[in-house]
Amino acid sequence: MSGRVLVGVKRVIDYAVKIRVKPDNSGVVTDGVKHSMNPFCEIAVEEAVKLKEKKLIKEVVAVSCGPQQSQETIRTALAMGADRGIHVEVAGKDYETLGPLQVSKIMAALAKKEDAQLLILGKQAIDDDCNQTGQMTAALLDWPQGTFASEVSLDGDKVKVVREIDGGLETIKISTPAVLTADLRLNTPRYATLPNIMKAKKKKIANVKPADLGVDLTSRLEVLKVEEPPQREAGVKVETVEDLVGKLKETGRI
Amino acid sequence: MLLRKVSQSSALCGTILRIPPVLSGGQRQAGVVALQNSRLYASEAAQAVLEKPAAVGSDAATKVENKAAAAESKSFAVGIFKGQIATAQVFPFPSVLSQEQEQFLRELVGPVGKFFEEVNDAAKNDALEKVEDHTMEGLKEMGAFGLQVPADLNGLGLSNTQYARLVEIVGGHDLGVGITLGAHQSIGFKGILLFGNPAQKEKYLPKLATGEHIAAFCLTEPASGSDAASIKTTAVQSPCGQYFTLNGSKIWISNGGLAEIFTVFAKTPMKDPKTGEMKDKITAFVVERSFGGVTSGPPEKKMGIKASNTAEVYFDNVRVPADCVLGEVGGGFKVAMNILNNGRFGMAAALSGTMKSSIAKAVDHAANRTQFGSKIHNYGVIQEKMARMTMLQYVTESMAYMISGNMDSGATEFQIEAAISKIFASEAAWNVTDECIQVMGGMGFMKDAGVERIMRDLRIFRIFEGTNDILRLFVALNGFQSAGNQLKGLQKALKNPLGNAGLLAGELTKRAKRKAGLSTGLTLQGTVHPELAQSGELTVKAIEQFGLVIEEMLIKHGKKIIDEQFVLKRVADCAIDLYAMVVVLSRASRSLSQGHASAQYEKMLCETWCMEASDRVMRDIKLLRSGESRKLFKNLRAISTALVENGGPVSPHPLGF
């Protein structure tokens, strides 16, 4: 077992920011807006670093796909305890259309190249809420997957994963190499301390192009329009239950 | 005055005789000679003014050397006292971070902000009157205790500008924590950073940087606050010379109850090399609690910054090894002043963060509160408050980063500017938060809103680290000193008028023009962005008149100027306003040149500020020149005297009983 864990981290608009749609409805405003690491990716990094601290794995590699600024996100992962980073450069039009399909192809290629024992991702990103990358990557690699993990424990060459599902909790045991996606209650990510940020400056970030990995970034999707949710309209008060039923029939609700 | 006298008596030499005591028989610093026996106030101000030239050029300090030193000063604040505009340190607005430094700083800002938003609970700290244990631990882990300690000694090695940016975040969240951190690193062990020898640095800094040891700055005593030179704690050297015995007590020491390492100032009896007599001079020591004999009292109950520990510290026959002397034996006063001077910009940075936070609360309230059918931010009264609040914050922020930028660029002369920034920031923050409460109405008064705590925390900032009153005297006296030196230089030239005809002709013309209110050719054109030309003009006029009135005051009062506190205060207020004007001109110019989105808005801030500041300066100058000022000051003095004599208000009750 290589003892190497790959963690995917995505740079997204910070959760506290008020999102604004661009006037041309082509997307949301990202220029000059505060960005940070996707919260579920933080949880993924934390889990990987914890495994290393327990000496169950040997190396944590943080990976991010995106433009120059994605390096900041990798640095945050390094400050949390990852050993090195890989920045897959995707910019311009390619970045605008970058989605789970393309990212999962990249991740699959890297997981093979780096001989990873585990690939840990956040369960979904807070900007697109796709919840697909982990699953697609596992399929491309033909690896088992433990998604929505709220508890992970290594046992030899197997991984026990407690999953949060609609009905409650499900415990599964899968072989490695495997793909895991982190859910909210998996752990509480540590604060990057300033001395660690300083130490992280010395850690290496490798630059890779998708072409080097033999990945084709063409998108099968085209975004037609992005718009705000409709404004909530005022309600109407009615006097009696009959009136209510009448109004509901009127608007075609029943 | 000089002009009139010259026109009255043809002999230039006649004017020499009119130039009063300030300049005559001057051995060393003009107008400051009397400070040798200064008793009253501002030992800090007075002594610092006295000691500065002492530091510059030992006993060889001749008029020439002093004149040279003063003439070459790059400090803007020094320049205005001579009616000059020294632009080197103020234009363009300093940009001192390398790309690497800036990137690093960006990475730090997020985690620090996050910590203060999610972990630190300012209200809890205030209620408990201490920083919560888990918060202290988190701050230590975060590296917050050694921001400016070199990286190879466990610190983060931040520059002043980087430090200012982080301290701004702290100031915006919790001033109690801010003081705990500041008392530790900004003054507590700053002496070791500035004056420590390599052995001392290696011994103490690593544990101080991680927060394993906390530091405290021990200067103030029950009978010695502003009059720092009068401290009574003693440190007597042993006959063998190996150690000093420290005895005395200090009060109001921040971190006093927590610290392991103390920077202590005490009087050491020393033999004067020239006269052979024993004199008491201040020496700075690094004292460890583990030396034994060091005890601290219970935490003081305060109005604000309750989370910060303030305690009395007692030294009872403490044996301090001789290698714990910081700097030179007898050189302690300079150490103290340098430490305080070095840390002052931090206060402006922190308070600019505090103001941002208060302003945000006020804006939020004004934008959402409806009264009389409109949101209250639509009403003129509220608009004026909000505009003033943000101008004050803009000025403070600009001062903080200008000074930190100057310091990082290697400037050595910034003590007047640093003092100005401390005065300005502390008063601005108080006013801004006060107005914030006013805008919020009754809500602002309630504990839950969180603003009353900030108000309580802010009060001390006008008092500690040099009261604003003392610092004003310092600013004025420092300025008068260099102006006086220049006048002295002129006097020397006057003694040999033919040999210095050019210089004298130039000076006379300049004075004639200034007196007549004409421009002397002094200009900011080409320095300031063309769109700010008008504000630049206002500033130049104000500086010209200021320089003139300074000379007039010197000629009028001579050496006695140091006693004229009514004058000194107003002079300082002008200097503060002038520095503030130039600082916003610089910042707004930069924004305009760089085409920032906010450039037009900043132009408005700048113009509005300059309009009002220039009015204030001109008004003060007018008062200082008028015969009425004499009457005013006399009355103020008499009222106070009667009050003190009477032990309270003098006038009988309107009802007669």
Side-chain angles (χ1 to χ4, degrees):
Chain A
M1 275 280 103
S2 73
R4 186 172 297 128
V5 173
L6 240 57
V7 183
V9 294
K10 186 179 181 187
R11 178 175 181 263
V12 298
I13 296 181
D14 188 87
Y15 75 90
V17 169
K18 268 202 187 94
I19 308 286
R20 282 192 340 253
V21 177
K22 281 196 213 163
D24 64 0
N25 291 103
S26 62
V28 301
V29 177
T30 53
D31 272 343
V33 170
K34 183 171 182 214
H35 284 66
S36 38
M37 188 190 290
N38 181 39
F40 294 106
C41 299
E42 277 182 358
I43 299 175
V45 173
E46 175 67 23
E47 196 60 23
V49 172
K50 272 215 180 88
L51 287 174
K52 190 176 103 164
E53 282 170 351
K54 287 192 212 146
K55 299 216 193 321
L56 294 169
I57 55 136
K58 293 201 201 84
E59 192 189 23
V60 178
V61 183
V63 181
S64 193
C65 308
Q68 188 64 12
Q69 294 95 316
S70 294
Q71 291 204 6
E72 288 166 19
T73 315
I74 300 177
R75 290 227 174 273
T76 308
L78 294 174
M80 284 172 73
D83 298 293
R84 58 183 169 91
I86 300 176
H87 172 213
V88 182
E89 283 177 47
V90 180
K93 243 303 119 242
D94 281 338
Y95 181 59
E96 278 169 43
T97 55
L98 192 70
L101 182 59
Q102 293 77 16
V103 175
S104 55
K105 286 184 192 169
I106 295 173
M107 287 297 174
L110 280 173
K112 276 199 245 167
K113 185 159 175 262
E114 296 285 334
D115 189 24
Q117 181 179 341
L118 280 177
L119 172 63
I120 312 183
L121 305 173
K123 74 169 178 183
Q124 67 196 61
I126 60 171
D127 51 7
D128 55 21
D129 284 324
C130 285
N131 184 1
Q132 297 169 357
T133 310
Q135 293 86 334
M136 282 179 174
T137 314
L140 288 170
L141 288 166
D142 198 23
W143 284 7
Q145 54 181 261
T147 53
F148 312 110
S150 69
E151 214 184 292
V152 167
S153 37
L154 292 192
D155 188 9
D157 62 346
K158 300 245 191 290
V159 187
K160 189 174 94 171
V161 183
V162 177
R163 304 177 60 230
E164 296 204 17
I165 60 173
D166 287 346
L169 295 173
E170 178 193 58
T171 309
I172 59 172
K173 203 178 226 170
I174 53 179
S175 326
T176 54
V179 175
L180 306 176
T181 71
D183 206 326
L184 192 63
R185 278 158 280 268
L186 179 57
N187 60 48
T188 311
R190 66 197 59 196
Y191 288 96
T193 66
L194 308 188
N196 282 345
I197 295 177
M198 217 173 63
K199 284 190 203 126
K201 282 203 287 189
K202 300 198 185 87
K203 296 183 185 172
K204 288 203 179 8
I205 301 181
N207 276 328
V208 173
K209 293 205 181 42
D212 299 340
L213 300 168
V215 170
D216 165 30
L217 291 179
T218 4
S219 175
R220 274 78 163 153
L221 301 174
E222 188 194 330
V223 172
L224 298 175
K225 191 160 74 153
V226 176
E227 49 186 22
E228 297 218 3
Q231 291 279 29
R232 191 182 160 145
E233 274 159 46
V236 176
K237 269 200 182 148
V238 292
E239 295 292 308
T240 68
V241 175
E242 285 79 28
D243 287 344
L244 177 60
V245 172
K247 271 250 175 315
L248 287 171
K249 278 199 180 137
E250 226 176 87
T251 50
R253 299 288 188 209
I254 49 169
Chain B
M1 299 193 184
L2 190 54
L3 177 62
R4 255 199 305 254
K5 288 173 167 46
V6 166
S7 61
Q8 278 166 16
S9 67
S10 47
L12 282 175
C13 293
T15 61
I16 305 173
L17 301 175
R18 309 282 183 167
I19 298 176
V22 175
L23 312 171
S24 65
Q27 237 90 36
R28 306 180 77 207
Q29 318 79 27
V32 179
V33 181
L35 287 174
Q36 303 277 12
N37 355 300
S38 91
R39 358 109 229 172
L40 302 181
Y41 41 52
S43 331
E44 178 189 311
Q47 290 277 92
V49 171
L50 183 62
E51 301 259 337
K52 198 169 68 89
V56 165
S58 55
D59 36 22
T62 58
K63 294 176 241 183
V64 177
E65 206 176 297
N66 269 333
K67 181 184 138 199
E72 278 160 21
S73 167
K74 291 210 196 105
S75 151
F76 171 82
V78 168
I80 54 176
F81 280 84
K82 298 184 243 174
Q84 290 163 6
I85 306 185
T87 54
Q89 285 180 200
V90 289
F91 287 101
F93 196 89
S95 255
V96 297
L97 294 177
S98 70
Q99 210 205 21
E100 204 205 303
Q101 281 177 314
E102 193 187 299
Q103 207 207 7
F104 182 44
L105 184 59
R106 275 179 200 270
E107 289 176 38
L108 301 180
V109 165
V112 174
K114 200 166 166 199
F115 182 85
F116 276 93
E117 259 153 56
E118 296 175 13
V119 179
N120 185 62
D121 186 344
K124 200 70 173 292
N125 294 342
D126 181 67
L128 288 172
E129 299 196 17
K130 99 179 244 228
V131 179
E132 290 186 282
D133 288 335
H134 75 274
T135 305
M136 270 302 251
E137 280 316 303
L139 285 167
K140 289 179 188 177
E141 267 168 35
M142 176 127 296
F145 281 83
L147 298 173
Q148 291 196 281
V149 173
D152 57 353
L153 291 173
N154 284 352
L156 289 171
L158 297 183
S159 68
N160 294 306
T161 303
Q162 291 170 314
Y163 177 78
R165 183 62 185 87
L166 295 187
V167 145
E168 192 187 304
I169 302 175
V170 183
H173 285 98
D174 192 336
L175 285 169
V177 168
I179 293 304
T180 304
L181 294 173
H184 168 77
Q185 59 194 309
S186 204
I187 53 175
F189 67 76
K190 189 59 89 64
I192 304 178
L193 275 176
L194 296 176
F195 294 93
N197 56 44
Q200 287 167 330
K201 286 183 178 167
E202 278 209 37
K203 179 170 184 206
Y204 293 112
L205 293 178
K207 292 211 173 115
L208 287 166
T210 59
E212 190 181 329
H213 285 169
I214 304 285
F217 181 86
C218 300
L219 178 61
T220 305
E221 295 175 9
S224 307
S226 291
D227 193 2
S230 70
I231 54 175
K232 300 213 174 39
T233 301
T234 55
V236 183
Q237 193 160 20
S238 63
C240 60
Q242 302 283 48
Y243 63 91
F244 288 78
T245 305
L246 186 63
N247 269 295
S249 44
K250 301 288 185 184
I251 57 166
W252 300 333
I253 304 303
S254 295
N255 293 344
L258 313 173
E260 177 58 40
I261 306 294
F262 301 85
T263 301
V264 185
F265 297 88
K267 284 267 173 65
T268 44
M270 299 174 60
K271 205 178 216 160
D272 188 317
K274 275 186 260 163
T275 65
E277 59 174 298
M278 288 304 265
K279 274 179 148 189
D280 276 340
K281 300 207 87 182
I282 299 180
T283 304
F285 298 91
V286 177
V287 178
E288 300 175 40
R289 199 187 277 263
S290 59
F291 286 165
V294 181
T295 48
S296 53
E300 302 281 359
K301 296 216 160 270
K302 306 189 289 288
M303 170 177 171
I305 54 163
K306 291 189 181 188
S308 159
N309 171 279
T310 312
E312 297 190 1
V313 183
Y314 314 103
F315 301 99
D316 188 6
N317 285 325
V318 183
R319 264 202 185 193
V320 182
D323 57 11
C324 280
V325 169
L326 208 46
E328 284 169 26
V329 179
F333 196 81
K334 200 171 69 155
V335 171
M337 293 308 115
N338 267 297
I339 292 174
L340 290 174
N341 182 39
N342 199 279
R344 281 206 174 113
F345 74 96
M347 194 181 280
L351 293 178
S352 103
T354 312
M355 283 188 262
K356 264 202 245 197
S357 154
S358 299
I359 291 172
K361 293 195 166 87
V363 167
D364 183 54
H365 183 85
N368 290 309
R369 173 77 170 171
T370 308
Q371 287 286 268
F372 308 115
S374 292
K375 296 275 187 256
I376 64 173
H377 73 88
N378 287 308
Y379 298 118
V381 167
I382 298 293
Q383 287 167 346
E384 181 158 356
K385 290 185 201 295
M386 310 272 272
R388 289 199 190 293
M389 280 162 58
T390 199
M391 279 196 290
L392 287 171
Q393 195 275 334
Y394 185 71
V395 174
T396 306
E397 197 178 63
S398 307
M399 281 189 186
Y401 288 96
M402 174 163 289
I403 296 173
S404 70
N406 287 152
M407 289 168 79
D408 284 339
S409 303
T412 47
E413 269 208 82
F414 52 85
Q415 66 266 29
I416 303 188
E417 287 85 349
I420 288 177
S421 75
K422 190 267 186 188
I423 297 169
F424 192 89
S426 54
E427 291 176 8
W430 176 258
N431 288 326
V432 166
T433 307
D434 187 39
E435 284 288 61
C436 169
I437 293 181
Q438 192 69 14
V439 167
M440 290 173 74
M443 209 56 200
F445 196 66
M446 299 301 139
K447 207 164 184 176
D448 285 338
V451 197
E452 61 81 33
R453 186 196 75 241
I454 301 177
M455 199 79 204
R456 286 186 291 106
D457 287 345
L458 284 172
R459 188 58 187 84
I460 192 66
F461 282 77
R462 286 155 53 192
I463 300 175
F464 64 13
E465 281 211 31
T467 63
N468 287 6
D469 312 281
I470 290 300
L471 289 178
R472 280 189 162 84
L473 297 177
F474 171 71
V475 166
L477 286 174
N478 222 297
F480 270 118
Q481 181 196 24
S482 48
N485 278 342
Q486 188 192 42
L487 269 183
K488 245 171 37 102
L490 223 36
Q491 177 212 14
K492 205 169 169 252
L494 279 168
K495 281 206 170 100
N496 177 17
L498 296 175
N500 288 295
L503 166 68
L504 292 172
E507 285 295 323
L508 280 176
T509 322
K510 195 167 75 172
R511 279 159 172 65
K513 281 186 171 165
R514 273 200 297 201
K515 200 65 215 260
L518 293 170
S519 163
T520 56
L522 214 56
T523 180
L524 280 173
Q525 240 179 40
T527 309
V528 151
H529 193 278
E531 284 191 57
L532 296 169
Q534 211 178 10
S535 301
E537 272 317 295
L538 282 176
T539 310
V540 167
K541 279 208 162 56
I543 293 175
E544 282 175 344
Q545 291 305 310
F546 181 70
L548 197 52
V549 86
I550 291 302
E551 217 174 69
E552 290 168 19
M553 293 290 112
L554 265 177
I555 290 173
K556 182 166 160 184
H557 298 280
K559 270 187 254 176
K560 299 227 192 75
I561 191 73
I562 62 175
D563 291 332
E564 297 289 327
Q565 293 197 351
F566 293 103
V567 170
L568 295 176
K569 172 189 178 289
R570 284 158 180 80
V571 162
D573 283 340
C574 291
I576 294 170
D577 260 327
L578 289 171
Y579 186 55
M581 287 166 86
V582 128
V583 144
V584 297
L585 275 170
S586 179
R587 180 143 171 228
S589 288
R590 184 178 77 162
S591 295
L592 282 162
S593 309
Q594 292 179 349
H596 285 188
S598 61
Q600 286 304 313
Y601 175 76
E602 289 184 54
K603 178 177 160 189
M604 255 197 310
L605 288 178
C606 174
E607 285 178 341
T608 316
W609 178 262
C610 288
M611 266 195 276
E612 295 200 319
S614 133
D615 268 350
R616 283 193 294 267
V617 171
M618 293 309 202
R619 210 180 45 218
D620 272 339
I621 291 178
K622 189 161 169 228
L623 177 73
L624 287 173
R625 281 190 174 135
S626 77
E628 272 177 24
S629 63
R630 223 195 172 83
K631 181 116 208 278
L632 176 68
F633 300 159
K634 194 160 147 243
N635 282 358
L636 290 171
R637 178 167 256 136
I639 294 171
S640 172
T641 309
L643 189 63
V644 170
E645 258 174 46
N646 200 53
V650 175
S651 44
H653 196 278
L655 296 179
F657 65 92

